[in-house]
Amino acid sequence: MAGTPADAGDDGSALVVNFKGNPADKSKTGGWFSAGLILVTELAERVCVIGISVNLVTYIVGDLHLSTSAAANIVTNFLGTLYLLALLGGFLADARLGRYLTVVIFAIVATIGVSLLTVATMLPSMRPPPCSGFRQNHQDCEEASTGQLVLLYVALYTTALGAGGIKANVSGFGTDQFDCDDPEEEKAMVFFFNRFYFCISLGSLFAATVLVYLQDDVSRDVGYGVSAGAMAGAVVLLLAGTPLYRYRLPRGSPLAVLWKVFYSAWRKRRLPYPADAGELHEYHTSKVSNTQRYRCLDKAALVACTAPSGGTTASKGKPRASTENLCSVTEVEETKMVLKLIPIWSTCILFWTVYSQMTTFSVEQATYMDRHIGSFVFPAGSLSFFLFATILLFTSLNERLFVPLGRRLTGNPQGLTSLQRVGVGLVFSILAMAAAAVVERQRRESAIRRHHNISALWLVPQFFLVGAGEAFAYVGQLEFFIREAPERMKSMSTALFLATLSMGFFVSSLLVSLVGKATGERWIRNNLNMARLDYFYWMLAVLGLINIVIFLAFARRHQYKVQQPELSCNGERELKDCKRDAEGKMDIV
C-alpha cells in the first residue's frame, strides 16, 4: 500500500484507498468479510494475552517461588505495560505507518514474544528446583534468581509491545472497512463494536479453558506454544486479506497538532478574544463546529498582528497579519475533543483495577479452595471461564434484548448511550467487590475454624459480576473514545481508551504495595488464610462508590460530538447559522 500523510482528502478526512494506493472500490473492498479477517488478529491476540495472564500468577508462585504480592504485581505490571504501549502503536499508525502496517508489524512482534515465553517455561534452567508446600512455608523454598527471571521478563514485555500495538489499531482498522455515509454500511457499523468484543471474548474463553488446562495438566510450554501458533496463523490470514481491505492513509502526528494548539494559545494568551468568532482562522471553512468549552484555546486561531520591527504591536508603521503559530478552527476544535475525553477517561480507571483482581488474587484464592467436580480437579485459572462466558452472554443479549429495550425506554437508536453503558459497568464492578469480600471472609473462616475448604465455585459470582460489567464498560468505553475523538486521531483515541486499562492495572499494583506497607502485610500475605484479603476487597468497593459519583458528574456535563452539521449548509452565512443551531442541539448525558 502506498501513500503518505499528504494524501489526505481536502475535506479533512483521511483518503480511503485500496492496497495499491488508488481510491477504494466499495464493491471489491471492505465490508464484513474484510472486518472478519481483521478480527481474527484480535482474537489471536486475546488467546495469547489471556492465556498468559489468567494463569501466570500460579506459575510465578508455584514454580518460581515468588511471594503472592510479587506475583500479582508482575501480572498487573505486564498487563499495564501492554495497554500503555498501545499509545505507541496508536501514535505510529496515525503519524506515519497507517493502521494496517502497524497491526502487521506488531502482530509479528507478539508472535516472537509468546514464542520466547514458550522457551522460558520449557527450559528447566529457567526456574528453581521444585519445592512442595511453598504457599504455607515459603522460607524453605529457593526463589527464582534474577538470571532465571530475565528471559521471562523479556518474553512478557516483548509480547506486551506486540499486543499493545495490535489493540491500538485493530478496532479502528475494522471500522475503516465500513462507509458511514452509506446507509447499509452505517447500519452494519451499529453492531461492529459489540460483535468485535463478542469475537475477542470467544478467544479469551478458549484461553481460560483449553489453554489453562494444557498449562496445568500437560505442560506450560505446550500451552504457550499453542498461543504462538495461533498468533502466527493470524498474521498469515491478515496478510492474505491485503487486497480486500480499505485503508485510510495517515495524516501526520496528532500529537504535533495538540502541541501546536497548546503552544499557540499560550503565546497569544494576552490577546483579547475577537468580537465575532468568524474572525478566527478558517472559521467558515472548518469541518468542525466552533464550541464555547475550553474557549481559551480559541486564541490559537487568532490572526495576530505584528509591527514591521517584529513586535506584537503596531507602534511603528503599519501592522501586518502574522501566520506564525497560527492554528485553524478545525485543529483547535479537535484538541478540545481530546480534552473532553479526559474526565471520562480518569473515572474509568478504577473499573480495570477491579478487573485485575480476577487475574491475580481471585485465581490465588481458588488454589486454597476445593476445586473438585466429581473426580476431576479443574485448574484455578479456569475460573476465568465464568468471566468470559458472562461477557459472551451479555454481548449476545445486547443486540437481541438490551438495545431494543433501551430504544423503547430512551428513544435512542443505540439503546443505551456509550456513557450509560460505562455507568452500568461501574455499578457491576462495585457489586463484584462486595461479593468477593463476603466470599473471602467465609472461605477464610471455614479454613481456619473448621479446617474445611469450601468449593471454589463460590467465586463464580464475582467473576460473573465483573464479566457483566466488562460487557457494558468495555464496549461503552471503546465506542465513546472512537466516536468522540477526531477522525485523524482514531488510533490515538483507541490507545487513550486502552490507557485506562493500563492505569487500572498499575493502580492495582500501587494499591497492593501501599496496603502492604500500611497494614504491615496483614491484609495481603503469601498464606491467604493468615491474611485479610476481604478488607482489601471492601476498600475497592468503597473506592468504586466514590468513583461512580464523580463519573456521573462528568457524564452529565459531557456534550456529544456534533456529526458535521455544517455539511448540509450552503454559503458562509448559512454555515455560521447552522453551526450555532447545532451547538444548541448537543445531547447532554
Side-chain angles (χ1 to χ4, degrees), residues 175-195:
T175 59
D176 288 344
Q177 308 311 307
F178 301 94
D179 180 5
C180 291
D181 294 328
D182 183 313
E184 290 300 318
E185 294 197 13
E186 168 66 18
K187 189 183 299 183
M189 264 287 292
V190 170
F191 295 115
F192 172 78
F193 295 108
N194 195 64
R195 292 177 182 177

Side-chain angles (χ1 to χ4, degrees), residues 351 354 390 394 402 420-435 461-473 548:
F351 177 87
V354 169
T390 303
F394 274 78
F402 298 137
Q420 287 169 341
R421 291 173 188 266
V422 174
V424 172
L426 293 178
V427 171
F428 273 116
S429 71
I430 297 169
L431 296 176
M433 287 298 92
Q462 63 203 60
F463 281 94
F464 174 85
L465 289 168
V466 171
E470 186 179 355
F472 284 98
I548 197 171

Side-chain angles (χ1 to χ4, degrees), residues 111-122:
T111 304
I112 295 171
V114 75
S115 298
L116 289 174
L117 185 61
T118 304
V119 174
T121 55
M122 180 173 57

Side-chain angles (χ1 to χ4, degrees), residues 88-100:
L88 173 63
F91 170 78
L92 291 175
D94 284 338
R96 180 59 57 181
L97 298 179
R99 295 177 190 121
Y100 166 76

Side-chain angles (χ1 to χ4, degrees), residues 393-505:
L393 172 64
F394 274 78
T395 49
S396 299
L397 291 175
N398 187 56
E399 292 186 24
R400 300 175 184 273
L401 178 63
F402 298 137
V403 170
L405 182 62
R407 284 172 179 164
R408 290 188 196 138
L409 295 176
T410 67
N412 189 326
Q414 295 177 276
L416 295 177
T417 66
S418 56
L419 291 181
Q420 287 169 341
R421 291 173 188 266
V422 174
V424 172
L426 293 178
V427 171
F428 273 116
S429 71
I430 297 169
L431 296 176
M433 287 298 92
V438 171
V439 170
E440 171 58 14
R441 181 182 177 86
Q442 294 301 316
R443 183 207 66 77
R444 181 177 178 274
E445 289 185 354
S446 179
I448 294 175
R449 295 182 181 180
R450 295 190 292 275
H451 304 287
H452 170 69
N453 293 329
I454 65 174
S455 172
L457 295 179
W458 280 103
L459 297 174
V460 170
Q462 63 203 60
F463 281 94
F464 174 85
L465 289 168
V466 171
E470 186 179 355
F472 284 98
Y474 191 106
V475 175
Q477 288 179 50
L478 182 62
E479 180 180 352
F480 174 79
F481 280 93
I482 287 185
R483 287 184 178 271
E484 292 299 293
E487 174 60 34
R488 81 169 83 192
M489 301 179 188
K490 185 182 287 187
S491 291
M492 281 297 292
S493 67
T494 305
L496 185 64
F497 151 61
L498 294 173
T500 63
L501 281 75
S502 172
M503 292 299 103
F505 288 112

